[in-house]
Amino acid sequence: GMLRPEEREVVLGEAEVRQTFKAPKVGVVAGSYVRNGTISRQARVRVVRNGVEVYDGTIGSLRRFKDDVREVEKGYECGISIEKVGDVIECYRTEEVARTLQSDSSS
């Protein structure tokens, strides 16, 4: 119980940016297609361009058509307020895993 928990990233989903749009009050919105998993507005996102991470943060807005949504599943299109065409948006969360003495001694 005195060991600090280990942090591990869990990838929730991945979306490919197909086209960008300028939207009033929001700025640039990435028209995206969810390739696998789910994209959740509460999770953190990482923008990968040409294999290099260029942004790590949160989603400003997530929309399907004109509706604001919490998450979008695989196979659907959505609008995400982040970056450029060809980028890959990876959605993830960080989990804390309790460490034990046995797992520390094997390192």
Side-chain angles (χ1 to χ4, degrees), residues 9-68:
E9 286 184 5
V10 177
V11 176
L12 302 174
E14 191 175 84
E16 179 183 355
V17 178
R18 298 264 173 106
Q19 189 172 358
T20 58
F21 305 94
K22 290 195 186 253
K25 299 181 185 175
V26 179
V28 178
V29 175
S32 306
Y33 175 76
V34 181
R35 295 196 298 197
N36 56 41
T38 61
I39 300 297
S40 174
R41 189 174 22 167
Q42 287 80 22
R44 295 188 57 81
V45 292
R46 175 184 303 122
V47 177
V48 179
R49 183 178 302 145
N50 298 326
V52 178
E53 181 182 321
V54 294
Y55 175 78
D56 187 354
T58 58
I59 292 177
S61 71
L62 181 63
R63 293 180 171 259
R64 278 231 356 105
F65 302 107
K66 297 201 181 252
D67 300 326
D68 218 5

Side-chain angles (χ1 to χ4, degrees), residues 71-99:
E71 65 180 28
V72 180
E73 295 182 359
K74 177 183 177 180
Y76 291 101
E77 294 180 337
C78 61
I80 304 172
S81 60
I82 298 175
E83 302 305 318
K84 287 174 113 182
V85 175
D87 289 349
V88 173
I89 299 173
E90 190 176 75
C91 187
Y92 70 96
R93 73 171 178 248
T94 304
E95 291 183 344
E96 289 186 354
V97 179
R99 294 199 299 188

Side-chain angles (χ1 to χ4, degrees), residues 3-6 8 97-107:
L3 297 174
R4 240 169 103 207
E6 179 182 325
R8 178 181 8 170
V97 179
R99 294 199 299 188
T100 62
L101 289 175
Q102 188 175 16
S103 66
D104 285 343
S105 62
S106 63
S107 307

